[in-house]
Amino acid sequence: MKNLTTLSELSVSEIQRILDHASEFKAGKIYHGAEGKVVANLFFEPSTRTNYSFQTAELRLGCKVLAFQPQSSSLQKGESFYDTVKTFESFGVDAVVIRHTENEYYKQLSGLRIPILNGGDGTGNHPTQSLLDLMTIREEFGGFAGLRIAICGDIRHSRVAHTNLEVMARLGMDCYTAGPPEYQEDRYPHMDFDRAVEEMDVIMLLRVQNERLEEAMSMTPAQYNGKYGLNPARLARMKPGAIIMHPAPFNRGVELTDEVVECPASRIFPQVTNGVYVRMAAFRYCFGD
Ligand code: CP
């Protein structure tokens, strides 16, 4: 049994193997190793893609799924996070998928004897999002080495950015950040957004996460899009063959306009599709094959 809580603790060959298995699932391969396992999806923070694509993956693998509703649980009576998860382990579930607002919440669960699949922790890690991003990039370009990516927007509060910037650099990609200076981190190379649009193989946009910002955005959505967002004028200046990615949910009219969402260069919905297959592969990794 293995956890999947961060990608930084996985070797490059382990990551490639998960991606290979995800591609095999996409091609129709059947895996019987998870059939009949009971999986609890414990989402303590809202989610559409991660929650329901994990559920889709579980159903495709033949698992039995428990969907947890925090608002109608004993959390409302003051039960702790640890006691809630420990309760599900005590039911005898075979694995838990957890999303929580707290960074590294999984450290307090180190005594559990069932796999933990991290559906996102605070501003720290989002391993299955990163795996689906990698799968999408590999499908497009056939590999990673030498590719140039700019992750654009609110880097400071983004678990997607933090996870991707670590693993993509390890896979040989040339990684930059772009966007408003107040959202950047000194540890990553920064690039002007318009230069990134013209030079990068991959433009990955991030949602402006108003709910995590200490202060309200200091500009209107239209002003943000004019300075740091994709729109038809910037689409026309992108490098030929370059692709647009976004973990979603996205804010139409802020980091991208309506015309960008499903334009030929956009891989936003193909990312969602790949999310199911990498999550199937994540279970295969955790259940021991
Ligand atoms: N990309 C992502 O994590 O989306 P959700 O918050 O909807 O799961």
Side-chain angles (χ1 to χ4, degrees):
M1 157 226 127
K2 293 192 282 283
N3 295 327
L4 182 57
T5 50
T6 73
L7 289 190
S8 56
E9 61 197 9
L10 268 60
S11 67
V12 165
S13 62
E14 285 174 312
I15 290 165
Q16 297 277 16
R17 186 169 158 80
I18 294 173
L19 297 179
D20 290 345
H21 285 158
S23 298
E24 288 172 10
F25 283 129
K26 192 170 184 176
K29 181 161 180 156
I30 306 292
Y31 170 68
H32 295 289
E35 273 174 17
K37 303 249 190 217
V38 179
V39 179
N41 296 321
L42 309 180
F43 279 68
F44 297 84
E45 186 195 284
S47 165
T48 297
R49 272 144 295 275
T50 311
N51 190 349
Y52 293 98
S53 75
F54 260 116
Q55 288 197 40
T56 308
E58 290 152 9
L59 294 172
R60 288 201 184 282
L61 289 170
C63 299
K64 295 173 178 163
V65 182
L66 291 179
F68 171 68
Q69 307 292 342
Q71 65 279 11
S72 58
S73 76
S74 287
L75 284 173
Q76 304 304 325
K77 302 179 207 164
E79 188 165 36
S80 72
F81 166 68
Y82 173 84
D83 292 340
T84 302
V85 181
K86 187 70 187 171
T87 298
F88 277 87
E89 185 194 42
S90 305
F91 292 152
V93 306
D94 296 295
V96 285
V97 178
I98 300 178
R99 170 175 287 189
H100 200 277
T101 51
E102 188 179 320
N103 283 30
E104 300 184 330
Y105 67 78
Y106 42 82
K107 288 194 170 165
Q108 57 179 296
L109 304 175
S110 58
L112 260 65
R113 293 186 301 278
I114 52 174
I116 301 167
L117 293 91
N118 184 4
D121 61 285
T123 60
N125 300 275
H126 198 345
T128 57
Q129 175 68 45
S130 189
L131 287 167
L132 75 86
D133 293 339
L134 293 174
M135 181 176 180
T136 306
I137 290 169
R138 194 172 78 161
E139 281 181 345
E140 190 72 33
F141 298 103
F144 304 105
L147 285 175
R148 305 182 81 204
I149 183 169
I151 302 183
C152 310
D154 181 5
I155 305 299
R156 266 200 311 136
H157 299 94
S158 172
R159 55 188 168 222
V160 176
H162 296 144
T163 310
N164 272 336
L165 287 161
E166 187 279 328
V167 71
M168 289 178 179
R170 214 153 33 100
L171 290 165
M173 291 179 68
D174 200 4
C175 304
Y176 299 89
T177 68
E182 61 269 37
Y183 297 166
Q184 307 303 305
E185 292 183 21
D186 291 341
R187 59 181 161 151
Y188 305 121
H190 183 72
M191 180 180 281
D192 172 75
F193 183 66
D194 278 299
R195 189 178 149 213
V197 166
E198 290 171 7
E199 295 184 8
M200 296 294 105
D201 300 297
V202 182
I203 296 288
M204 180 178 287
L205 302 170
L206 300 175
R207 185 166 61 95
V208 178
Q209 300 187 62
N210 290 314
E211 75 273 24
R212 288 218 178 94
L213 295 174
E214 288 135 29
E215 299 168 1
M217 209 165 65
S218 57
M219 47 191 135
T220 65
Q223 285 170 335
Y224 185 95
N225 185 263
K227 283 184 90 165
Y228 303 114
L230 284 184
N231 48 43
R234 286 202 174 97
L235 278 186
R237 298 208 303 275
M238 282 180 62
K239 179 180 172 181
I243 62 169
I244 298 160
M245 300 177 71
H246 194 310
F250 42 81
N251 290 313
R252 290 175 184 259
V254 188
E255 66 268 15
L256 77 182
T257 57
D258 286 339
E259 301 86 346
V260 178
V261 174
E262 295 186 67
C263 75
S266 171
R267 297 296 177 272
I268 295 173
F269 287 107
Q271 287 175 263
V272 175
T273 301
N274 285 341
V276 174
Y277 300 112
V278 298
R279 288 173 177 124
M280 292 171 75
F283 279 112
R284 185 169 174 174
Y285 169 80
C286 288
F287 286 138
D289 178 12

